[in-house]
Structure formats: C-alpha cells, structure tokens
Amino acid sequence: MNTSLPQSAFFLPSPLSENNGVDFLGLRQANLDMMAALIPGTNNVTSYIRPFSLLSWIFWKFHGLCEKAGKDQPNSEEVQEFRERVEILFTWGARLEDTPGIPGKQAGPPADGGSVLLTFRAWNRVQSSTSLIAALWYGPASKTATGLGFLEPFKGGFFRATGKGVALAEALDGVLRANADLYSRLLDTLAPVTATEEDARALWTLWGANSPTDAERDAFRDAVFDEGRVGDYSNLLGQRSSTIALARLHLSHCAGAHAAEDIRRGMFFSTQPDGNAYEVPAELRPALRKWIVLQVRQLQRLALESLLSWCERRIIGGLYDTAGLTSEAERLFRAHSSGLDPNDPLAVMIGKLDTQISSVDDFVARGRSDGLFSPFALMDEIQKAFKAKDERFAAISFYALFLCASFAGCFAENERTQISVGGASRLSLFHLRKRLTALGDVSLKQAILFVLESMVLSQHFATAVNRFDGQNQRLRLSIEEGGLISLAGKPWEPTVTEDRLPTILELAGDCGLINRTGKAFQL
C-alpha cells in the first residue's frame, strides 16, 4: 500500500454530520432493561392495537394466498412486495387522516393524482425506520421471542401468525371483506397492483388505527394480560400482567380519569389523589419495588446528563478546565438549599441522608411529603430550571446523585441485583453508591471534581469512543492543548426517557382492561 504522508501541518475538515444520539453517557440501556422487566413485549410507540392486527393479517393472508396459488416455497421478495403494498395503503390512509404515531406516514405518493405503485422504493420509504415491522416500531412487540406472541419465525426467513395472531388476522379480515371491490382488487392477490388516494381513504374507513373490533380487543387482551399470572415474575406475561395490575390497583383508589403522569407517581407512592396511602398486596410488592427503582434510576440518569449539558454550557462560555468547572459547581451547590451542610465531608452528607431513609419504604414515605426526597419533584425542578436557563439545575443534579446513592444503601446484599442493572460501565445505582462512598471524607469540592471528571466527562469520552462507527460523531467535548472545547456548538438538552407506562395504558384502554378518555384513564 502506497500512502503519501503530509509534508506540513494541515487542518482537518469539519465534521460532515452533527453529534448524533440521545445517550452521550451510555446510561440509557440500563433504564430500558428496567422498563423491559416491568412492561416486556411493548415499547414507547406501540400505542395502537390495529397495527398488531395488520401485521398478523399480512403474514396470515400471504400464506393463505400462496397455498391457494400452489406456491410451496415463496421467496422473500414475494412476501416483501405483499407486505410493502399493504403497509403503504395503511400508512397512506393515516397520512390522509393525519393520524399520529403511525410510521411512514410522512412519505407522500410518488405522483400527484392517479394510480401509483405501492412499493417502498417508489415512495422513498426506508425499511429499517418506517416499516411497521421495523425494530423501532411494532416488529419486536409482535413476535413470540420478544413481544406479545402474534408472529413466529417460519422457514425461509418468513413469519407466520400464531394462534393469537390468527385471531387478530381473522377479525380484521372480516372487516376488510365488507368492501368486496377493494378487497379483491388490492388485497386478495399476490400480483402487483396500483392504487389511488380514494382507495387509500376508503380502506382507512375499514382498518383505521382507532377502530379495532371487539374480537380484536378480546384477542389482544388475552395476549397482553392474564389475571392468573399476576404475581408470577418468572415469565414475560406474568411480569407485564403484574405491572398492569399495579396500575389498575392505583386506579381503583382514584375517582375520575387521570393522566399517565399522575398514575406513574401514584403507583410509586401508593397514594390516592388526596394523599392517603393504600396497601399494596404481597403479590404486587416485587413489581412495586422494581417501579420504585426505575424511577430513581430515571432521576440518576437525568442528573448526570444534565451535568454534562451544564459542562458544555460553561465550556462554551469560556471555562476550559475541570478546576474552573468544579469551583462554579461548588458555588452553585452552596447557594442551593438542599438540607445538606456543604461544609460537611461527603461521607457525612450521604450518612445524614442514610439515617433518614433506612429502607425503601422510608424513602417512599418521606417523598410523599418532602420534595427533597421525591424523584419526581427533583426531576421537575431540574427540567424547570434547565428550561429557564437557571444554572440551579446543576446544584439540584448533584444533590440528586447524593440522594440516589443513599437510596441504593437501602438494599441488603442479597437484594443487590435490583440496583445493579447496567453494571459499572453504565453507572448502576449500586456502582454510583460504591464509587461515592469509596471517596470517604473528601470535601464537597473534591466530590464535585470526582463526579465531573469520572462520572460525566470521562464517561462521555469512553462512551463516544466505544460507539464511534467511522462516520457519526459521538463526541460533544474534546480535550485540546488549551483545555476542554465544545464540538457541538450548543449544549445538549437531555430529557427523561418514557417508561412505557403511557403506551401500555393506551393499549389497556383500547382492549378494555381499563377505561380511556383521550389521554386520561380510569377503571
């Protein structure tokens, strides 16, 4: 290989892409794993029953058409063509009716007016991001291995509908046959077809996302929840059923309809809207404990990511070293009223928190009446200050980390797995406490320096380097001769990742497990 070496100094070209991603500290997967242990088989976008029915119908119908045509060994191109046709007709209707939350509806038809081709290529659609069966959308949630069990692998790399999926498919098929012309011309054939806007609009009146039949609701309800599995944490259905039962328990103590945010907090605190606590039965206690740990982890992640954003803000403003960042962070912490004495060593500060929350139940009880011990109140404060560009969010974030470390101390050694999700590399709650308590009697300044250098900056550099794919830039900060510099140009804006609760509540509402009015829910 002959490579010409540079003969003099030169400037590197500017990056072609922005700093991509939403997980610049590598913490997100631990949160997702916790969510999957509580509400497995769904994600934050699977909010309709009908797409599950449609995917089941696609493979059920395709195999039926192949059998009718005497095709013993259909190829992958044939199933893809059939799936793309049906998906485009479905999402075209969603586009015309502006139905939210349907992947691919942003893509417009390849021509204005007339009959058009129904392929992803013609519509400039991307399989991996806009298909209903894509990993980002309903694919994993539909399958037996990862989801609700409507589709199973079949020979040749295909899928076929399971018994649960067949029930959904047959119910939808009965709806579609109501329009014999559309059904025979567009759906009941393996041959390529074209369609018009009028066709898509007419089909949407049949298979629109908001119109599942009673048969679909019944089949879906049986797949998503089983009263007999509540309290059984050895399988996905039992785990999901237990969390849904925990939400239903809370709603049973509420009058009227409530938003997902209120239900999330009510489940955590086990309180009625008037503030009075209620008892949680023994079979739901493990689900409650997992729910509590998840919400504290959400606070931990937001606090660390907010500190990364604060560092960016200050570096852009002219602070180029960790000593300067530490001095400013300490000033902010001392000015913030957190109930801790900033003159105390770190071990004393964490120790004082430990004496106030010696158990998980103590932590929850204290948080009901004291915002300094409520992960929700602290996340609200961080986000409110962040949006107002009030640097107080950095002080709240440091306090939140100390509180999370204290919370982790509520778990005995035989309970450690509950707070170890993510391990050392993703700064689990266990490892957060381990690393902070190992500092011993260091001063507030030394503790802040450690958090900034080890848990924020070094964590970011390690995450960015490990994920670099040769194209997409993951680094937001870099270290040059003059100190730290920003590569992004503006501070990152972290948010709290949805915990799947709104989605499972919407699905539970649509299948009759609870009652739903818009974005509010009740029994």
Side-chain angles (χ1 to χ4, degrees):
M1 179 178 68
N2 296 320
T3 303
S4 300
L5 297 175
Q7 301 301 309
S8 61
F10 63 96
F11 289 101
L12 290 171
S14 300
L16 296 177
S17 62
E18 295 183 2
N19 306 70
N20 294 279
V22 294
D23 185 27
F24 295 104
L25 293 180
L27 308 179
R28 181 171 180 260
Q29 189 58 49
N31 295 55
L32 296 180
D33 290 343
M34 290 180 177
M35 296 171 195
L38 280 157
I39 312 176
T42 64
N43 55 40
N44 287 318
V45 297
T46 52
S47 55
Y48 297 105
I49 292 176
R50 184 48 64 74
F52 289 106
S53 300
L54 188 71
L55 284 176
S56 299
W57 183 88
I58 286 172
F59 292 99
W60 173 81
K61 184 63 179 177
F62 176 77
H63 286 292
L65 289 172
C66 288
E67 184 177 346
K68 182 179 178 180
K71 284 182 174 288
D72 295 329
Q73 294 182 325
N75 59 49
S76 58
E77 289 78 12
E78 288 173 317
V79 71
Q80 181 173 322
E81 288 172 4
F82 185 74
R83 177 178 56 77
E84 287 185 6
R85 178 209 312 174
V86 177
E87 283 200 47
I88 286 174
L89 286 168
F90 181 76
T91 54
W92 195 357
R95 175 185 176 86
L96 294 171
E97 296 299 321
D98 196 24
T99 303
I102 301 297
K105 74 166 194 170
Q106 292 80 9
D112 292 331
S115 196
V116 299
L117 293 173
L118 303 174
T119 66
F120 274 30
R121 173 174 289 186
W123 285 64
N124 292 317
R125 293 268 300 269
V126 179
Q127 294 278 354
S128 61
S129 59
T130 70
S131 172
L132 285 172
I133 205 168
L136 296 173
W137 295 94
Y138 287 81
S142 295
K143 299 170 186 176
T144 50
T146 55
L148 301 177
F150 301 122
L151 298 174
E152 63 183 359
F154 190 59
K155 60 184 179 181
F158 302 164
F159 290 97
R160 68 177 178 186
T162 63
K164 298 175 184 178
V166 169
L168 289 178
E170 289 179 341
L172 178 58
D173 194 65
V175 173
L176 297 176
R177 287 180 181 275
N179 190 319
D181 171 63
L182 288 175
Y183 192 88
S184 62
R185 182 162 50 86
L186 300 176
L187 305 176
D188 197 22
T189 177
L190 291 175
V193 301
T194 60
T196 65
E197 180 177 308
E198 290 73 21
D199 293 330
R201 198 182 296 277
L203 277 170
W204 189 254
T205 65
L206 300 175
W207 62 16
N210 292 306
S211 59
T213 64
D214 289 342
E216 288 172 90
R217 292 188 177 98
D218 291 344
F220 188 86
R221 183 170 59 250
D222 290 343
V224 80
F225 179 79
D226 184 345
E227 188 75 50
R229 297 290 185 94
V230 172
D232 178 1
Y233 298 92
S234 65
N235 56 76
L236 301 184
L237 179 57
Q239 293 165 10
R240 185 171 56 249
S241 297
S242 299
T243 303
I244 293 173
L246 187 65
R248 281 161 54 94
L249 173 68
H250 176 69
L251 289 174
S252 73
H253 289 276
C254 300
H258 296 268
E261 177 60 29
D262 298 327
I263 299 170
R264 175 183 294 113
R265 299 180 186 215
M267 290 166 62
F268 181 97
F269 290 118
S270 303
T271 52
Q272 302 172 148
D274 62 7
N276 290 321
Y278 55 80
E279 284 295 319
V280 176
E283 66 268 20
L284 295 182
R285 294 291 298 179
L288 173 60
R289 180 66 67 95
K290 291 179 183 180
W291 189 251
I292 292 168
V293 174
L294 169 61
Q295 303 307 327
V296 176
R297 170 66 183 190
Q298 294 275 72
L299 171 63
Q300 178 201 359
R301 181 185 171 199
L302 179 65
L304 286 167
E305 292 179 343
S306 296
L307 288 174
L308 174 61
S309 179
W310 178 80
C311 287
E312 289 186 86
R313 185 186 304 252
R314 280 314 192 99
I315 291 166
I316 292 170
L319 275 180
Y320 303 123
D321 57 63
T322 54
L325 292 171
T326 299
S327 295
E328 280 301 291
E330 182 186 14
R331 178 184 64 79
L332 291 169
F333 190 90
R334 289 181 175 277
H336 176 64
S337 178
S338 65
L340 297 177
D341 185 347
N343 294 312
D344 282 340
L346 176 64
V348 173
M349 284 192 277
I350 293 179
K352 287 182 176 178
L353 290 171
D354 287 350
T355 60
Q356 299 179 74
I357 50 172
S358 58
S359 70
V360 174
D361 288 342
D362 286 345
F363 177 79
V364 172
R366 188 65 185 270
R368 290 178 185 135
S369 58
D370 188 344
L372 287 173
F373 291 83
S374 165
F376 303 105
L378 291 170
M379 285 189 281
D380 287 345
E381 278 198 72
I382 291 171
Q383 292 178 301
K384 181 179 178 181
F386 187 94
K387 290 178 181 178
K389 297 185 178 179
D390 179 352
E391 286 192 312
R392 192 169 56 91
F393 76 83
I396 304 169
S397 296
F398 278 109
Y399 169 78
L401 292 177
F402 299 159
L403 180 68
C404 289
S406 181
F407 169 80
C410 296
F411 292 77
E413 187 170 345
N414 63 351
E415 301 175 309
R416 185 174 295 171
T417 55
Q418 299 178 42
I419 55 169
S420 296
V421 178
S425 63
R426 300 190 190 279
L427 293 175
S428 73
L429 283 161
F430 169 75
H431 288 92
L432 171 70
R433 180 178 177 86
K434 181 179 180 180
R435 294 175 71 175
L436 288 181
T437 55
L439 296 176
D441 289 329
V442 301
S443 66
L444 174 64
K445 180 184 289 290
Q446 291 171 304
I448 289 175
L449 178 64
F450 175 81
V451 169
L452 292 181
E453 288 188 341
S454 176
M455 296 185 178
V456 178
L457 297 174
S458 293
Q459 182 74 16
H460 170 57
F461 295 145
T463 300
V465 170
N466 288 335
R467 294 183 178 177
F468 182 60
D469 59 5
Q471 295 180 347
N472 295 309
Q473 174 64 270
R474 308 294 184 182
L475 277 171
R476 299 187 64 83
L477 299 171
S478 182
I479 303 175
E480 304 295 339
E481 287 187 8
L484 293 161
I485 64 168
S486 169
L487 300 178
K490 62 180 181 179
W492 179 33
E493 298 183 11
T495 58
V496 179
T497 300
E498 286 285 2
D499 54 20
R500 302 190 184 184
L501 181 65
T503 301
I504 200 64
L505 289 174
E506 290 172 357
L507 291 172
D510 284 352
C511 73
L513 284 170
I514 58 178
N515 295 314
R516 175 184 178 186
T517 305
K519 294 292 185 180
F521 309 90
Q522 66 186 109
L523 276 185

